Amino acid sequence: MKITLNGKETETECQTAFEVQGKIGNPKDIVILNGFQIDKDCKIAENDILTIIRKGAMPSEEELESMMVARHTPHVHQKLKEGKVAIAGVGGLGSNIAIMLARIGVGQILLVDFDIVEPSNLNRQSYYIRHLGLPKTFALKEQINEINPFIKINTETIKITEGNVMDLLSGYDIICEAFDKPDQKSMLVNTALEQLPHTKIVSASGMAGYDSSNLIKTSRPMKNLYLCGDLENAARVGKGLMAPRVQICAGHQANMILRLLVGQEEI
């Protein structure tokens, strides 16, 4: 019968997934059948998708892609691979969003930030002690390359202003606003809506402190603008930015970006 094995169409006389595993791998390998990791043997059928993953080994680009496809919802990977997302600000929101987008295989990501990694960032941002003093764009690109070295990461270590929004961010399907300061958020959103009217914008407001996770949500105040957060809890004296709620909001933004890339515009 014909199956897709590790991304390639293959003829096999095997009747079960573990039979195939025994021919090309060993019992410790991970076996994924039609998107689901199995721990008990299963029969295989014509046109099934079977992926055998050897633990601890770096696969080729083709093999890595087939493994990601195996764990994704069917027919999603190609759309993500073709996606282009610009992330403006790679602090608490942006660094975590970038990591999530890399893990789902978004094909091209732009990281824009002028700042360096400092100790106070470590409470919520996706950086480590080894990154202290490095430009955030450099440190984040390094991490992404350790997750998926085959996606394209562009970086701009520069401050975004009204004057360079068009030059920096045109050509991307989605702009992810991930700034800390409200005036910078509104500047980017308003400028992008005016200068890039066909680009989707995913922004955030209100994720400080440790109030209920359930207050954070995604809304759509305008056709091309999506807003994530509780819209109330800004950072202030007595209410700082903490990893759980920041990452919950980052998850909302990343999931909305995912939905947009696969053509789901409704919240």
Side-chain angles (χ1 to χ4, degrees):
M1 78 183 82
K2 183 185 294 183
I3 64 171
T4 299
L5 176 62
N6 288 357
K8 295 181 179 180
E9 287 193 354
T10 304
E11 290 285 346
T12 183
E13 295 179 357
C14 296
Q15 299 299 307
T16 73
F18 283 9
E19 280 186 56
V20 178
Q21 178 197 40
K23 284 185 175 293
I24 69 168
N26 62 69
K28 293 184 178 180
D29 293 342
I30 296 169
V31 181
I32 300 172
L33 178 60
N34 296 330
F36 183 75
Q37 182 176 334
I38 60 173
D39 53 18
K40 295 181 180 179
D41 202 6
C42 296
K43 289 185 177 180
I44 54 176
E46 189 83 13
N47 299 319
D48 274 352
I49 300 173
L50 185 64
T51 305
I52 312 293
I53 302 176
R54 179 160 296 173
K55 288 186 175 181
M58 179 59 194
S60 68
E61 180 175 0
E62 183 180 61
E63 289 173 330
L64 179 62
E65 185 168 298
S66 74
M67 292 172 188
M68 293 182 69
V69 171
R71 297 312 304 265
H72 280 163
T73 305
H75 314 301
V76 165
H77 182 74
Q78 188 60 37
K79 292 180 180 179
L80 299 181
K81 185 179 178 181
E82 294 169 356
K84 298 179 180 180
V85 179
I87 303 177
V90 291
L93 291 171
S95 64
N96 287 298
I97 292 165
I99 294 296
M100 285 184 266
L101 297 186
R103 291 194 188 281
I104 63 173
V106 173
Q108 186 169 329
I109 302 173
L110 171 66
L111 310 173
V112 187
D113 201 304
F114 66 92
D115 209 354
I116 64 171
V117 181
E118 58 167 304
S120 67
N121 299 149
L122 302 181
N123 84 319
R124 68 196 184 283
Q125 302 183 20
S126 185
Y127 300 108
Y128 303 90
I129 288 172
R130 72 177 187 270
H131 296 132
L132 294 176
L134 295 176
K136 289 183 177 179
T137 51
F138 178 89
L140 190 54
K141 182 176 181 179
E142 178 187 79
Q143 292 179 74
I144 291 172
N145 284 336
E146 292 177 355
I147 295 168
N148 186 342
F150 306 118
I151 62 180
K152 184 176 181 181
I153 303 297
N154 299 318
T155 62
E156 293 285 351
T157 306
I158 190 173
K159 185 172 184 177
I160 295 180
T161 66
E162 290 183 43
N164 62 18
V165 167
M166 174 70 80
D167 289 339
L168 287 172
L169 307 181
S170 62
Y172 287 85
D173 306 310
I174 299 166
I175 296 171
C176 177
E177 178 280 308
F179 289 148
D180 290 332
K181 297 181 179 179
D183 61 332
Q184 292 296 301
K185 289 176 176 290
S186 60
M187 177 278 294
L188 176 59
V189 169
N190 291 332
T191 304
L193 286 171
E194 179 181 351
Q195 296 184 4
L196 300 166
H198 302 296
T199 302
K200 305 288 192 225
I201 302 165
V202 180
S203 185
S205 178
M207 75 287 307
Y210 47 86
D211 285 331
S212 173
S213 302
N214 298 329
L215 297 176
I216 294 175
K217 60 183 181 180
T218 302
S219 59
R220 189 184 187 185
M222 299 175 62
K223 178 182 177 183
N224 287 337
L225 176 62
Y226 297 81
L227 189 56
C228 304
D230 65 19
L231 311 185
E232 293 182 7
N233 283 289
R236 54 178 171 79
V237 175
K239 181 171 283 189
L241 293 165
M242 303 179 70
R245 287 187 107 238
V246 169
Q247 292 193 34
I248 291 167
C249 188
H252 272 255
Q253 288 187 270
N255 192 56
M256 194 66 242
I257 291 167
L258 164 59
R259 288 174 57 76
L260 290 172
L261 289 176
V262 299
Q264 300 292 323
E265 297 192 5
E266 297 302 320
I267 59 172

